[in-house]
Amino acid sequence: MKRSIPLALGAAALLTFSLAGCAADAGSTTSEAAGSASADCTDGPIKIGLIPKLGTDPYMVTVQKAVEAAAAKDGSTVIYTSPSDATGAAQIPFVNQLISQDVDVIAISGSDLNSASAALAKAKEAGIKVIAWDSDVATDSRAFFLNQADTSKIGDQMLASLADMIGSEGDFAILSSTQTAVNQNAWIESIKDKLANDSKYSKMKLVTVAYGEEKADVNAQKAKELVQAYPDLKGIIVPAGIGLPAASEALSQSGDLGRVKISGLGPVSLVSQYIETGNVQDVWWNVTNLGTLTFATAQQYAQCKIEPKAGTKYSVDGLGEFTVGDNGTVLLGEPTIVTPENMKDFSF
Amino acid sequence: MLTTVKTKLRSWEFILFVLVVVMLLVAAALVPGFTRPFSISTGLATFAPAALMALPLALLVIVRDIDISVASIAGLSSVAAGLAIRAELSVPMVVVAALVTGLLCGAINGFFVAVLGLPALLVTLGTLALFRGLCYVLLGGTPISPLPDFFTVLGNDNIPGLSIPWAIVPFVVLAVVFGIVLHRGKVGRRIYAIGGNPETARYSGVRVARIRFVLFLVSGVMAGLAGMINMGITSQVAPDGAQGLELDVITVVFLAGVSVLGGKGRITGVVLASILILSLRKSLQLMNVSGYTQGIAVGGVLIASLLVTNLSQRLLGSVRERRRPVPTLGVEAG
């Protein structure tokens, strides 16, 4: 008897908790069903939930600001959430949160393809429209994918830019983000493909692929290790926004930058001082425009003005007309190689 | 009678129970959407893997050990399950693959700690990195999906007609099993005896090393089970599966009142602490608090519970000390 009281209390607490759930379930099933029916098309302002890969990533924050600016025009609400790990699993509670908050649209930058797919399916069931931006999720989990740039072109441009700096000859390495990063792995594949098949790059050799784990200090460390491990290294491609400035700074401090050139992908503002010296080039696009496109697509989709069908055309204020491609993909535009000459056109 | 009621009221489990009730009432009143069935069921499901792993960890901490590699074991077990799925084995075989992997991982920890006598914290810190590394080596960068329906249902669906997810069922059942074993059986008394004083326990005929070894095995198997639920929740097997869950697991155990010094702690406490951390995380989530701040909150709870449970023990100890006619040294030695 002595020991049974706390156990009974615990069981009672658990039971109460579950029963509360059941009771609430019975009570609200009808209202939820009604909610989802009317949520199918929204008139006027929308409520959009924006899920980035990482809440503090400056790239993601720039998109957030652009979405908020676009939303402010018609009084739409933006809920920006902040996962602290760049994993798909870490995004699940945030998807569930937005479902509980009855948003009209969830716009997600997928940390991986599948982790959030069951949660996104529940969103769809609840009448919430799902779109992806920056980094795609599984095709049947979302309607539109707003792609900042063509995957194969980004890989090609990074390789072309490095080839330009090192005279198309010598060893180079890739310093990527994480082993499971969808975008980066696709770019690396396309770089390997080019190396194998394009005679322009026949004298260039990819010696290794390292991973900076989306952390500045790890990227800096790995960049220094690469230079030491491969004395003949001529260049590094860093296809990640956190890695590119970190690697540039690390090699600049160690005095290797110049002998080793860096090309990659990342916010221009973070590497502008190294681009000026000619030792770093950057493949980039206008990030603010991605946010503007994301909001406009979410809004028109929520208002049932557009469908994710190939060939659908719609216009976005200030950006012009966009056409939906295969699988609901909408391309923001062409990626540009940023050099000292055109640097001032890129504010982020 | 009055004194037993008094001690009951002073027990940590009772304080936890009050905290849980207050937390649930406050959250229900102040956090919009907290009482929605959807929030409750997704909250329970998402927390299930951590809660499951807290059960055996509580026993390990009671015998003065710890296993901080549980999340990595969960990850590695799900990778084994994934490889079995890729080899097109049947669902029961996939389950066996995961559980056996968990068992083997537990055996490795148990061998170094219970047989060779190395410190549990350091051994499992090593295996935390080792098992996680193996996940990446075995699987590479490409996750395995889709999974057999069994796992996606386990991770995502509710019991038909209720807003209770399948994912929490193993925890509810096993919490009862662990409670009976620890508080009603011979094994439970031996576990407390080891935690109270390993030497005395050994001289009383308790097979200390064997029990500690078996507890690591149990921890491994439970982590394997948690790994399967986690892969269901994420609809895929990824090398980073269950990564970072150890913070919640360890916080639940110490919040439950399991003493770092061993010999103290109850399964009721683990259940209550699970509800508390789960409600805390869900409330913060629904208030759109970032993942970083949630980390601060859970980490803060861990430190606070260490402080409270240890300070209260020390205070009670010094009070008893003063009442004792003959002063003795080393209050904490026990």
Side-chain angles (χ1 to χ4, degrees), chain B residues 262-310:
Chain B
K264 268 194 71 188
R266 309 183 57 79
I267 296 300
T268 328
V270 176
V271 174
L272 291 169
S274 299
I275 300 175
L276 203 57
I277 296 291
L278 153 68
S279 323
L280 175 70
R281 275 219 184 253
K282 195 72 195 180
S283 305
L284 293 174
Q285 186 70 57
L286 285 170
M287 292 189 287
N288 199 26
V289 169
S290 73
Y292 308 100
T293 313
Q294 290 184 31
I296 295 175
V298 176
V301 169
L302 174 56
I303 302 293
S305 45
L306 286 176
L307 261 179
V308 171
T309 49
N310 283 308

Side-chain angles (χ1 to χ4, degrees), chain A:
Chain A
M1 190 57 218
K2 192 185 155 211
R3 279 169 177 165
S4 61
I5 294 176
L7 196 66
L9 289 181
L14 195 68
L15 200 66
T16 322
F17 193 52
S18 326
L19 283 178
C22 304
D25 194 18
S28 64
T29 316
T30 45
S31 68
E32 251 172 58
S36 69
S38 64
D40 277 358
C41 289
T42 317
D43 297 325
I46 63 165
K47 191 171 167 187
I48 176 174
L50 201 59
I51 306 180
K53 286 187 189 172
L54 276 176
T56 48
D57 184 341
Y59 183 96
M60 303 282 155
V61 173
T62 304
V63 173
Q64 174 201 4
K65 284 182 182 146
V67 169
E68 281 169 354
K73 285 180 189 160
D74 74 339
S76 289
T77 315
V78 181
I79 301 174
Y80 181 78
T81 68
S82 297
S84 54
D85 282 305
T87 64
Q91 292 182 315
I92 294 173
F94 291 86
V95 175
N96 289 334
Q97 170 202 339
L98 293 171
I99 298 173
S100 290
Q101 291 172 338
D102 288 319
V103 295
D104 298 310
V105 182
I106 290 176
I108 184 170
S109 163
S111 277
D112 67 34
L113 276 175
N114 295 307
S115 284
S117 59
L120 292 173
K122 286 178 185 167
K124 228 189 251 180
E125 262 171 49
I128 296 170
K129 305 199 162 170
V130 180
I131 63 175
W133 53 279
D134 167 58
S135 181
D136 206 1
V137 292
T139 311
D140 50 6
S141 296
R142 51 78 179 161
F144 292 92
F145 169 44
L146 309 167
N147 191 0
Q148 55 266 60
D150 191 303
T151 296
S152 63
K153 282 196 180 127
I154 292 179
D156 295 353
Q157 294 279 63
M158 286 190 290
L159 184 61
S161 129
L162 184 69
D164 174 48
M165 286 187 289
I166 65 174
S168 303
E169 196 174 335
D171 291 354
F172 74 101
I174 294 176
L175 178 55
S176 186
S177 79
T178 62
Q179 287 200 37
T180 49
V182 180
N183 284 345
Q184 275 77 6
N185 284 348
W187 297 329
I188 293 169
E189 271 316 299
S190 119
I191 288 173
K192 285 180 177 167
D193 194 53
K194 274 273 168 191
L195 282 175
N197 299 316
D198 195 329
S199 61
K200 218 171 27 176
Y201 305 118
S202 59
K203 287 182 182 163
M204 285 174 69
K205 187 172 160 243
L206 174 62
V207 287
T208 188
V209 179
Y211 297 92
E213 306 296 340
E214 292 282 313
K215 294 185 180 103
D217 56 336
V218 181
N219 274 291
Q221 187 57 36
K222 293 273 174 179
K224 288 181 193 161
E225 282 172 16
L226 285 172
V227 171
Q228 279 168 11
Y230 302 94
D232 295 332
L233 202 69
K234 292 280 180 295
I236 305 177
I237 293 180
V238 192
I242 292 174
L244 182 62
S248 305
E249 199 184 323
L251 295 197
S252 172
Q253 280 171 4
S254 69
D256 293 304
L257 193 66
R259 182 173 65 80
V260 177
K261 309 278 186 186
I262 295 181
S263 102
L265 176 98
V268 174
S269 56
L270 300 182
V271 284
S272 51
Q273 49 174 322
Y274 307 109
I275 294 179
E276 272 173 350
T277 64
N279 294 323
V280 174
Q281 285 186 6
D282 188 9
V283 176
W284 204 233
W285 51 84
N286 192 313
V287 183
T288 302
N289 289 356
L290 179 63
T292 312
L293 174 64
T294 299
F295 181 77
T297 309
Q299 186 181 41
Q300 297 187 34
Y301 182 39
Q303 294 169 346
C304 299
K305 287 177 182 161
I306 51 169
E307 281 298 318
K309 283 197 192 102
T312 304
K313 289 182 193 300
Y314 62 105
S315 68
V316 176
D317 272 355
L319 299 185
E321 193 177 69
F322 289 86
T323 308
V324 182
D326 289 339
N327 294 324
T329 301
V330 180
L331 198 59
L332 179 66
E334 295 288 316
T336 314
I337 296 178
V338 184
T339 59
E341 289 75 41
N342 63 4
M343 211 175 75
K344 52 193 164 305
D345 300 336
F346 296 83
S347 61
F348 179 79

